[in-house]
Amino acid sequence: NEETTVAAKDLIGEVLRRSRDVCLTLARFPTTCALAYHADYRKNGGGCDLDMRQLAVYAALFAWRDRRSREDDESVGYVMPRALLLRIARGTPTTVGASYGCGCKRRSTCG
């Protein structure tokens, strides 16, 4: 019984050590170039229907999302999924408030 308790404590300690190590690792973000938004946009699988103005909105949102994800150490998909990025770009909002009509509901993320 005592050996089982000691072994269980060792396992819990090992889990805690591994958990700490995972939590201390930072995400490694790939470097991006000025045209990285275009490669991301083409991943839509046939949904490439934005005009030049909408594509400019997409590029600006893409750059913001990349910058924000690096600042917050989060994935770009968590900060703003590509589907939402596209929806906002298609709506071409001219103000932050107008972007909420395109589906962005989290002010802390979008503002």
Side-chain angles (χ1 to χ4, degrees):
N1 257 353
E2 211 173 293
E3 289 178 15
T4 305
T5 305
V6 171
K9 284 183 181 179
D10 288 344
L11 290 176
I12 291 172
E14 180 63 20
V15 168
L16 291 174
R17 279 189 291 282
R18 288 183 184 186
S19 178
R20 183 199 63 223
D21 292 344
V22 167
C23 290
L24 290 175
T25 58
L26 294 175
R28 306 232 189 297
F29 295 99
T31 53
T32 58
C33 67
L35 295 176
Y37 75 92
H38 202 268
D40 186 73
Y41 172 64
R42 287 193 321 242
K43 291 179 182 177
N44 295 315
C48 300
D49 59 347
L50 300 184
D51 61 26
M52 293 305 287
R53 185 172 168 210
Q54 292 169 326
L55 195 56
V57 171
Y58 188 90
L61 286 171
F62 181 87
W64 170 85
R65 180 181 72 163
D66 181 67
R67 191 172 52 254
R68 183 69 184 253
S69 69
R70 291 170 192 272
E71 289 169 2
D72 295 348
D73 193 32
E74 293 289 352
S75 71
V76 292
Y78 178 80
V79 171
M80 180 179 287
R82 186 181 299 121
L84 179 58
L85 202 146
L86 274 168
R87 193 174 329 132
I88 294 172
R90 285 189 181 109
T92 57
T94 56
T95 66
V96 172
S99 68
Y100 299 126
C102 298
C104 187
K105 305 225 184 310
R106 294 186 335 199
R107 291 183 188 271
S108 64
T109 299
C110 297

